[in-house]
Amino acid sequence: MTQPFRTRDGGRIDRERPLAFTFDGRRLTGCHGDTLASALLANGVHLVGRSFKYHRPRGIVSAGAEEPNALVTTDRGGGRVTPNLRATQLELHEGMRARSQNRFPSLSFDLGAVNGAIAPLLSAGFYYKTFMWPRWFWRHLYEPAIRAAAGLGRAPEAPDPDRYLHQYVHCDVLVIGAGVAGLAAALAASARQARIVVCDEQAEMGGSLLAEPRGSIEGLPALDWLAATLRTLREAEVTLLPRTTVFGWFPNNMIGAVERVTEHLPDREARLPRERLWHIRAREVVVAAGAVQRPLVFPGNDRPGVMLADAARTYLLRYGVKVGSRIVVAAADDTGYAAAAELQQAGITVVAMVDSRREASDIARASGLPIRIGAAVSATGGTHRIDRAMLSNGERVACDALLMSGGWIPALHLFAQSREKLRFDPASQAFLPVEWTETVRCAGACNGTDGLDACLEEGYAAGTGGRRPSRSRTGTSACATALLAPAGGMAFVDFQNDVTVKDLRTATQEGFRSIEHVKRYTTAGMATDQGKLANLNTLAIVAGLLDRPIPQVGHTTFRMPYTPVTFGALAGAGRGELFEPVRRTPMHDQAAALAAVFENVGAWQRARYFPRDGEDMHRAVARECRAVRSSVGMFDATTLGKIEVAGPDAAEFLDRIYTGNFSRLAPGRCRYGLLLTEAGYVLDDGVVARLAPDRFHVTTTTGGAAGVLHHMEDYRQTEFPELRVWLTSITEQWAVIAVQGPLARQAIAPHVGGIDLSPEAMPHMSVREGRVCGVPARLFRVSFTGELGYEINVPADYGASVWQALHGGTVTPYGTEAMHVLRAEKGYIVIGQETDGTVIPVDLGLDWTIGRAKPDFVGKRSLTRPDMLRSDRKQLVGLVSPELLEEGTQIVAGGTAVGHVTSAYWSETLQSPIALALIDAGRSRIGAILHVPLLDRTVAVRVTEPVFYDRQGVRLHG
């Protein structure tokens, strides 16, 4: 099929490489280098979609990321269906299948267009004021109907088969935008031998230079300068990332960008991802994101065939496409004349140049175009494409395209996300950066700068780190007055969300004054395009309606993402089994060989129990408990969090973080550590071992490892930055085997070298470094069972072999279930079971861990609050019950709930059920009888001390 609106020559497309594609099932052809939008226009297709609310016919408005109308769904087969893609950014490839959205039964005949007839009922905020009663009618009729009628594309139902990856990179200078200013900044930065990354959302780098065939830079034709610059940057090993959209700016210059890796390829290679999410940490950022042309607001400005003048120029000069044969150009500045001149030179008839300014500029007078000074477009006509324009002077002009030129909107979304300030520039009627900073700089059109030479100069300055005053665009001061269109008809401000001037007027009449409130009430600027075309017009119209200057109205908050980001890119490889990767200890296979039954503890898989000869869990756990109490057992404790705290001020740091005193802890000794929140509540616990005067080995709970490290780093960096201390997670570096029981010393002695295991040389709560099974090891004498115990830490690679050697068929392995029973018999707490976020040390009987003489520690002041000193606080106690209780069960005294069961087990050692509980004023109730209501009965329980076994702790020192 021919392409009737394709020029014979010119542009950057390859006419010798035709590409077949379909749109709504219709077979069409384009050229290599086309976007879907340019290929559709080349085939004379202007109707590409229906609007969100009214289902009005919509056409292509722009040529870039600001496109609000041309959203399509692509289907690549095999479940690869993607909705809401901008046709202006979709690179055409062979066999592309695209379809329009939000229409039924077809794009040309959409039953939803009836919404236009009831538009007065669907004005701003109608959903807040209508369909509220009767409730069942709203829920079962109105709401489903509205949801079905409004919207964009349909989310795919099949799982996404594509791959997505994440990439991390550090650089000295990140340049966002590869137009003349951005490339100049990269050139200047490369002279400093800096590490540079350049991101640009287009397939080719060059920005507006790609549509400047007759421009010149530094004495070279623009395109020759572009080619030479890119060649120089590649030779300097600058990282160039085309097809990469920077979408978000996070603290400390962490930048998020999405690279489209294979979206433009007809057949994706399995080894390549569809998209790559770049996490870029930059020392300096140069924003050279350019500007977008500002649309005009007049009745019928949303009709297919109405588009931005600069977009029409881009389609002509870059893609070789004529957007029409007879065009009207409506302008409020001089830049519309350049587009009109290019189009006229290409053989397109400019039937009217409608200039809303009161006086013609020198450029306008010299253009030779049929100018209507002081006029404006008052209406448009046509069904699926514009065929006429009515002017305010009463003239009726036949046309097949209407181009808008209302000035320029600097693309400051990313700059504003960096928390830099903006100011309103009266000359350009736009917001501009206040100034550059040392780490964030603006250059080019996004800084309000005109002309290739000026952008080049500013880009060089930004790349060298210099600071220059911002430049302002000129000739656009009439933009604001041109916005207040004549009454009558629907004049759209936000094309995608169907927001009209009338909607803004309604919002102000109903008392909305804050621009943020107006935005939410009308949804102006809240569509997927983030208001790139709508926001400035919204501000200007609201300012006029409120009779205020635009700076007093202010601007809305620029939020990420700059353009929509796929869920796949955000998830990366974290899907399916990788959504939460299973962590296994080095001894996992050895446990599996012993028929262990595993359970998930956080992200870890841990052996719960080791059944033998058909044992159920109850019998297996009982046997394991007997082994530990009577002889020796071994337990895989690798999952404990482990943090190495090192530095001259390591002891002082731990004193401030933990409740206890660690400055006085001698090297080679261990101490129980309790960690509190700032509010004084128990956060985590563990053992702190001092390896040397400046080095500690700190353990945490399995589930709390990451949180404790974050907690420590937060305080180290923000509250105690003067301390010379460093934190390193070593959880993965050490495999840990706990050997517990009266015969523990005899069990490990044959395997230990370089360490004296005698009670005098290595008492309880001590640590030594030596060798176990010939492997370097850290040996802790600690216990979580109440028996003589050791925890052997060896490098993770040796964990399996050391386990195998220690096991030897004589040491009984036990799992997490037996561990819990054994610790409960001793009254040892588990964070998250005996704590609920409101427990303090004294509630648990752990006030002995508090270093009262210390001047301060995290949470100390909170412990003195009146509520913390109440005598009726919940306190940890034990319960003796005639039957096994359920954890979480309420405990009642006199008909009133006074607490709950935190842990409950069958004690093989005591041959009875035991439980731990948090009870109001629990310690004062020891010996009392309380009741536990169950579904069909009530059980009487006796309150006891929380330690059920070996209360004097004799067995620890065996």
Side-chain angles (χ1 to χ4, degrees), residues 53-54 123-125 129 297-299 480-494 498-515 517-519 521-524 537-547:
K53 188 163 61 174
Y54 301 129
S123 61
K129 297 177 287 190
V297 180
F298 51 83
T481 58
L483 291 171
L484 297 177
M490 301 180 74
F492 287 87
V493 181
D494 187 313
D498 275 347
V499 181
T500 66
V501 174
K502 180 183 176 183
D503 293 324
L504 298 179
R505 184 178 292 112
T506 298
T508 57
Q509 288 174 346
E510 294 188 6
F512 291 95
R513 296 294 181 266
S514 166
I515 192 62
H517 293 164
V518 172
K519 171 183 175 179
Y521 191 65
T522 63
T523 72
N537 284 344
T538 300
L539 298 179
I541 293 171
V542 171
L545 293 170
L546 296 177
D547 194 22

Side-chain angles (χ1 to χ4, degrees), residues 302-335:
D302 67 325
R303 204 175 301 277
V306 179
M307 67 169 55
L308 299 174
D310 193 64
R313 183 176 182 272
T314 297
Y315 285 121
L316 175 66
L317 299 179
R318 182 173 177 182
Y319 300 105
V321 172
K322 300 177 181 180
V323 298
S325 56
R326 291 175 54 84
I327 65 172
V328 172
V329 179
D333 72 337
D334 285 339
T335 55

